[in-house]
Amino acid sequence: MITFNQKTRIFHLSTSQMSYVMQVLPSGHLTHLYWGDELKDAALDYLITEIKRASYVADTDGIKEFKLERLPIEYPAYGNSDLRKPAFVLEHADGSNISDFRYVDFEIQPKLLKPNNLPSLVDEKGETLIITLIDNVKQLKMQQYYGLNHQTAALVRFVTIENIGIESIQISELSSACVQIDNTNQQLLHFSGGWAREMQFQQSELTQNGQIIESLRGQSSHEHQPFIALADSQFNENYGEIRAMSLIYSGDFRASVTMEMHDALRMQIGLNPAQFSWRLEAGEKFETPAALLVYAKNGLHEMGQIFRTSHQRFLVRGNHQWQERPILINSWEAFYFDLEEARLLDFAKESADLGIELFVLDDGWFGRRDNASSSLGDWQVNLRKFPNGLGSFSQKIKAMGLKFGLWVEPEMISPDSLLYQQHPEWVLGTPGRQHSLSRDQWVLDLTNPDVCDYLVETFMTIFKEAGVDYVKWDFNRSLTEIGSQFLPKFRQRETAHRYILGLYDVVERLTSAFPDVLFENCAGGGGRFDAGLTYYMPQTWTSDDTDAIERLSIQEGTSMLYPSASMGCHVSASPNHQNGRLTSLKTRGIVAMQGNFGYELDILALTIEEKEIIRQQIKFYKQIRQTIQFGELYRLKTAQRENAKAWLYVSADFQEVVVSYVQILSRANTPSKRLCLTGIDSDCYYQIAGTDVIRRGDELMQIGLAINDVKHDFFAQTWYLIRQSENKKRN
Ligand code: GLA
């Protein structure tokens, strides 16, 4: 519910799990009073007057002791007596960059609103508070949007600035959200990593000089997830308050937390000002990407649950949202660029026979693409590899009962391509500067509408002709020397953001033209695994690292924010191609079954025994698929901490439970070899599938399942439990 108390001018946004409270001061400044567990009344008008802090800066509005620096300003401006980090900076026509926005009025809309041209949660049952503020001197209107999703207790924030004056301004910095939090012994949480090492969960102490989590790569990046959180320093899986923010955006971002001299914390997230500036002409309006704010009262599990549910229920859209994802086989780690129709058909035939449902033709099928050095942009099938064309190949695949999937990397252009000969001006980059190559490729200038139209037309034709059921949309380099040959001089610093707007326009048009096609997002693995692209494409290739052991932390981190149905996980060859590690097919299977499952190895080269293991894995995954993809995830405590990981999925109807355990290194004389479950019903009985064993829920939670005693590294075990009906208890 969203309420406004006319007398105290307090806004209260509340759900049964969360309250967010703000107050408009007599001066018109909007202050932040509270964000935390639900308050029934939120009559917090005493809070501001009770603030006792020293301040060394001037009084505001000539009122004695009215010092902005002491106050928890909701969305602080630059250029006044609040000398802490501002949430936005505007440059005016007179060269000054001072802003002063005061409250005018508000409205409440009975649904969750989103920015017009950017992705965000969609919920007809939500509510949105829009607070309008004006800078009278410069004739600028600011609107703060607070969308409340009652069903998940998540808050969606974004900001618009409208130029209602006559002179243009320059937006130098504009956060999507900013909150002030009292530092009651907080820690910073975030995810960092690199290529093949994405989403490593991090926690660190706060320092007074502030911390920044950011990307300047023109993509949300492998390095940092657009996410930041503050947690009670005692937090764990089920304890401690956490306040988190993520950005529903796929380009550069900056998230920061700063600690002021009295220890109050300011946490912000938004576009990265280092690579952003925007000319706003008279009459124009600018909207920021949306930020998702999540408050969890009880630790990491609850935070993850709110993010996963918000993403799966309110961000993912379309026909595939609740559809079980097919088990796939991908040609990449099997053959790389060495594609040959006859061999691929044998490979597909064998896959279909094992129970695989989708065949994905990865990189190498077009132009003269025998390695990564050419042909991006030349999206014609290579007739040497596929003599009868792609349509004919796809038909043969479908005749085997498989669906057909295709890899594309639309945003790229190779110097060695016909497209580059025709359109050298379509390469993204600053005129007069070198355009650095990465993986022998440049990026197309998606700020140019002609390029966007060309991409939509080209891929409409390809998807139609090839009769695709699935598309893997890749993006294999960062943006460098960012600039555009299309944009005028004064808009060069808009390039990075306009690029993402162009990308969203292209994927919106293509995904809506092919509602039955399953789109998978990829950027050299998880380089753009973000909420922005999850809005358009319901699943993402989690990482190029397919080693089962390294995947443990990558998948654990990813699954803290994203639903399992969105997380692509494949069984690949051993020795693993990224790190040379040898693991059993069983361990690789159990780890890959944490998300939407597939294979990426040459199954023609496997032994009969190995194929039989795969056949059984596929059969098993089909049984548990609904539970894994759309059930609830719990991480389990293991006696061996970092040497073992365990997780559990409960189906949405609570009838089925899948438990998985992986021990990394073998150890002599290890502690307890039992695994205690969580998230199940203590009063019910569960049968361990494939055995006669029936155990009561309370025993499974307090005493646990026995883990096999083995003497080798990289051991994995899985259990499938089925809840028993009331009368069918233990004999
Ligand atoms: C990226 C992807 C891989 C594969 C290659 C093809 O690295 O993440 O899965 O598709 O590109 O070039």
Side-chain angles (χ1 to χ4, degrees):
M1 200 165 55
I2 301 176
T3 59
F4 180 65
N5 182 319
Q6 294 286 353
K7 199 161 143 250
T8 56
R9 303 218 289 179
I10 286 182
F11 292 104
H12 183 195
L13 294 82
S14 67
T15 72
S16 56
Q17 288 145 274
M18 189 269 295
S19 276
Y20 192 98
V21 188
M22 292 170 284
Q23 183 176 26
V24 181
L25 300 186
S27 60
H29 290 98
L30 186 63
T31 51
H32 178 84
L33 300 188
Y34 177 82
W35 180 27
D37 197 8
E38 189 204 9
L39 296 175
K40 288 286 177 224
D41 195 2
L44 305 181
D45 47 316
Y46 51 87
L47 265 187
I48 294 292
T49 47
E50 284 181 7
I51 290 174
K52 304 269 181 296
R53 280 180 188 147
S55 176
Y56 308 99
V57 291
D59 299 332
T60 295
D61 292 351
I63 303 169
K64 203 141 184 55
E65 290 304 303
F66 180 49
K67 294 175 190 290
L68 296 185
E69 192 189 37
R70 278 182 190 158
L71 301 177
I73 299 293
E74 175 68 6
Y75 192 78
Y78 177 76
N80 55 36
S81 64
D82 179 359
L83 297 176
R84 297 165 295 178
K85 191 176 170 350
F88 68 102
V89 182
L90 307 176
E91 239 176 79
H92 306 289
D94 62 6
S96 76
N97 54 6
I98 295 171
S99 293
D100 189 359
F101 284 85
R102 307 287 175 112
Y103 171 81
V104 178
D105 58 17
F106 76 95
E107 65 176 296
I108 296 170
Q109 293 270 350
K111 68 177 206 170
L112 203 62
L113 295 179
K114 68 180 269 305
N116 288 323
N117 297 314
L118 286 157
S120 185
L121 272 56
V122 176
D123 175 17
E124 291 298 322
K125 295 198 185 110
E127 260 182 301
T128 305
L129 166 68
I130 309 158
I131 299 178
T132 302
L133 304 108
I134 295 239
D135 183 332
N136 270 324
V137 175
K138 293 297 174 193
Q139 287 299 293
L140 294 167
K141 178 165 150 185
M142 173 188 281
Q143 292 195 298
Q144 294 282 342
Y145 287 74
Y146 296 85
L148 194 55
N149 181 334
H150 297 281
Q151 300 175 70
T152 60
L155 197 62
V156 177
R157 284 183 59 178
F158 60 96
V159 182
T160 62
I161 297 255
E162 190 179 344
N163 187 344
I164 51 174
I166 49 167
E167 289 176 314
S168 62
I169 64 154
Q170 202 68 29
I171 303 173
S172 317
E173 190 171 341
L174 195 62
S175 289
S176 296
C178 171
V179 282
Q180 184 151 321
I181 293 163
D182 280 338
N183 186 7
T184 46
N185 206 1
Q186 304 276 306
Q187 283 214 343
L188 173 67
L189 309 184
H190 61 107
F191 297 91
S192 65
W195 172 77
R197 212 166 12 88
E198 300 88 338
M199 291 299 279
Q200 306 295 315
F201 179 67
Q202 309 288 344
Q203 58 187 93
S204 57
E205 297 301 323
L206 295 171
T207 55
Q208 198 174 346
N209 52 357
Q211 279 121 313
I212 288 177
I213 316 294
E214 68 179 346
S215 168
L216 280 167
R217 298 178 164 269
Q219 61 184 120
S220 48
S221 89
H222 302 90
E223 268 184 300
H224 295 291
Q225 174 68 204
F227 167 94
I228 187 166
L230 290 170
D232 179 326
S233 61
Q234 305 293 313
F235 84 96
N236 62 32
E237 195 64 12
N238 299 110
Y239 174 82
E241 287 188 298
I242 304 180
R243 293 172 181 85
M245 285 178 170
S246 74
L247 196 66
I248 307 175
Y249 189 64
S250 309
D252 296 334
F253 69 91
R254 189 175 69 184
S256 66
V257 58
T258 45
M259 190 197 293
E260 49 115 285
M261 61 178 135
H262 297 103
D263 254 16
L265 304 169
R266 228 171 225 183
M267 180 164 69
Q268 308 194 30
I269 199 161
L271 292 167
N272 195 327
Q275 225 151 232
F276 166 81
S277 171
W278 193 276
R279 169 77 68 99
L280 196 68
E281 306 286 2
E284 285 181 352
K285 196 188 225 185
F286 180 84
E287 56 184 16
T288 67
L292 185 63
L293 276 69
V294 166
Y295 166 76
K297 189 182 170 191
N298 301 303
L300 273 185
H301 172 73
E302 187 180 308
M303 179 197 84
Q305 191 183 31
I306 300 175
F307 271 108
R308 286 188 297 269
T309 316
S310 299
H311 290 154
Q312 180 59 36
R313 288 184 60 188
F314 302 103
L315 188 67
V316 172
R317 305 165 298 157
N319 295 355
H320 293 277
Q321 183 178 15
W322 298 109
Q323 234 172 58
E324 288 188 3
R325 309 295 159 78
I327 301 175
L328 65 79
I329 182 109
N330 181 298
S331 64
W332 182 242
E333 286 199 23
F335 308 117
Y336 295 98
F337 295 101
D338 189 12
L339 302 177
E340 192 222 320
E341 173 159 339
R343 187 161 51 146
L344 286 168
L345 289 174
D346 288 346
F347 175 73
K349 181 87 197 47
E350 189 73 53
S351 308
D353 181 58
L354 294 174
I356 285 170
E357 300 158 322
L358 162 68
F359 169 91
V360 180
L361 183 59
D362 210 280
D363 199 353
W365 59 266
F366 55 94
R368 288 167 292 106
R369 187 99 169 147
D370 292 326
N371 52 51
S373 71
S374 85
S375 303
L376 292 166
D378 297 346
W379 298 103
Q380 286 82 33
V381 68
N382 179 316
L383 290 171
R384 178 174 51 80
K385 298 178 183 176
F386 300 93
N388 305 307
L390 204 54
S392 141
F393 178 68
S394 142
Q395 272 168 21
K396 288 177 197 149
I397 295 289
K398 290 184 181 202
M400 297 174 191
L402 291 165
K403 290 182 186 302
F404 180 68
L406 192 65
W407 177 95
V408 292
E409 197 179 1
E411 299 157 72
M412 298 295 162
I413 179 166
S414 305
D416 181 9
S417 66
L418 294 173
L419 184 66
Y420 179 58
Q421 283 172 25
Q422 285 157 9
H423 288 291
E425 78 286 6
W426 280 6
V427 175
L428 189 91
T430 301
R433 295 271 175 201
Q434 67 162 312
H435 300 162
S436 300
L437 283 167
S438 172
R439 213 190 189 218
D440 281 325
Q441 63 201 54
W442 291 311
V443 184
L444 284 170
D445 183 358
L446 267 58
T447 71
N448 182 340
D450 290 346
V451 176
C452 295
D453 290 346
Y454 153 83
L455 287 179
V456 172
E457 275 159 39
T458 306
F459 288 94
M460 286 257 197
T461 313
I462 292 168
F463 296 164
K464 231 180 268 163
E465 280 176 10
V468 298
D469 300 300
Y470 159 106
V471 167
K472 177 176 173 188
W473 184 293
D474 213 337
F475 174 88
N476 276 315
R477 61 159 292 175
S478 301
L479 311 190
T480 57
E481 297 100 17
I482 298 178
S484 163
Q485 302 187 52
F486 169 75
L487 294 174
K489 265 193 277 187
F490 64 93
R491 293 206 184 275
Q492 287 301 309
R493 280 170 50 75
E494 299 174 11
T495 308
H497 182 52
R498 284 187 185 273
Y499 180 89
I500 297 294
L501 294 175
L503 168 67
Y504 288 157
D505 167 53
V506 171
V507 291
E508 173 68 40
R509 285 196 270 163
L510 281 169
T511 51
S512 31
F514 295 92
D516 292 328
V517 172
L518 174 59
F519 279 80
E520 175 161 294
N521 162 37
C522 174
R528 274 197 317 207
F529 202 147
D530 54 57
L533 277 166
T534 303
Y535 175 79
Y536 302 97
M537 306 192 196
Q539 62 187 52
T540 302
W541 176 225
T542 310
S543 177
D544 272 352
D545 188 345
T546 55
D547 168 56
I549 300 308
E550 299 207 314
R551 272 283 181 138
L552 291 172
S553 59
I554 296 172
Q555 290 175 191
E556 181 178 68
T558 308
S559 70
M560 286 187 192
L561 301 183
Y562 297 100
S564 337
S566 70
M567 213 165 68
C569 307
H570 302 171
V571 171
S572 62
S574 176
N576 178 268
H577 292 190
Q578 288 76 44
N579 64 10
R581 181 176 282 126
L582 287 158
T583 52
S584 69
L585 201 45
K586 181 177 174 197
T587 296
R588 280 174 274 153
I590 289 176
V591 174
M593 283 186 210
Q594 200 194 348
N596 74 61
F597 186 57
Y599 290 85
E600 191 162 336
L601 77 175
D602 183 3
I603 48 169
L604 294 173
L606 300 181
T607 63
I608 295 176
E609 293 73 33
E610 286 171 320
K611 284 183 202 165
E612 190 47 37
I613 297 176
I614 290 185
R615 191 187 302 283
Q616 295 310 323
Q617 285 178 338
I618 290 171
K619 202 167 145 213
F620 179 57
Y621 188 74
K622 286 179 181 169
Q623 278 180 296
I624 62 170
R625 169 161 49 189
Q626 182 68 27
T627 303
I628 300 285
Q629 295 186 356
F630 302 109
E632 183 53 41
L633 166 69
Y634 294 86
R635 277 183 298 278
L636 303 180
K637 259 194 246 156
T638 61
Q640 295 199 50
R641 295 167 198 270
E642 289 308 303
N643 192 39
K645 296 265 182 212
W647 59 93
L648 171 158
Y649 286 92
V650 185
S651 62
D653 63 4
F654 305 106
Q655 297 303 311
E656 294 171 41
V657 180
V658 181
V659 186
S660 302
Y661 173 86
V662 181
Q663 177 180 288
I664 302 175
L665 294 179
S666 172
R667 281 184 185 156
N669 189 19
T670 51
S672 167
K673 283 284 194 182
R674 300 198 77 87
L675 183 64
C676 291
L677 310 192
T678 183
I680 62 168
D681 194 331
S682 57
D683 289 336
C684 287
Y685 287 86
Y686 294 85
Q687 177 165 20
I688 304 178
T691 73
D692 297 333
V693 178
I694 294 183
R695 295 271 158 81
R696 223 181 111 87
D698 54 1
E699 291 167 26
L700 288 167
M701 296 205 279
Q702 306 309 327
I703 295 160
L705 292 163
I707 299 165
N708 292 349
D709 199 12
V710 292
K711 290 193 168 50
H712 61 83
D713 294 339
F714 319 129
F715 161 72
Q717 192 171 355
T718 196
W719 299 259
Y720 176 34
L721 310 180
I722 299 161
R723 193 159 102 163
Q724 302 299 289
S725 54
E726 269 313 292
N727 51 9
K728 204 176 156 212
K729 294 187 176 160
R730 180 160 47 179
N731 15 5

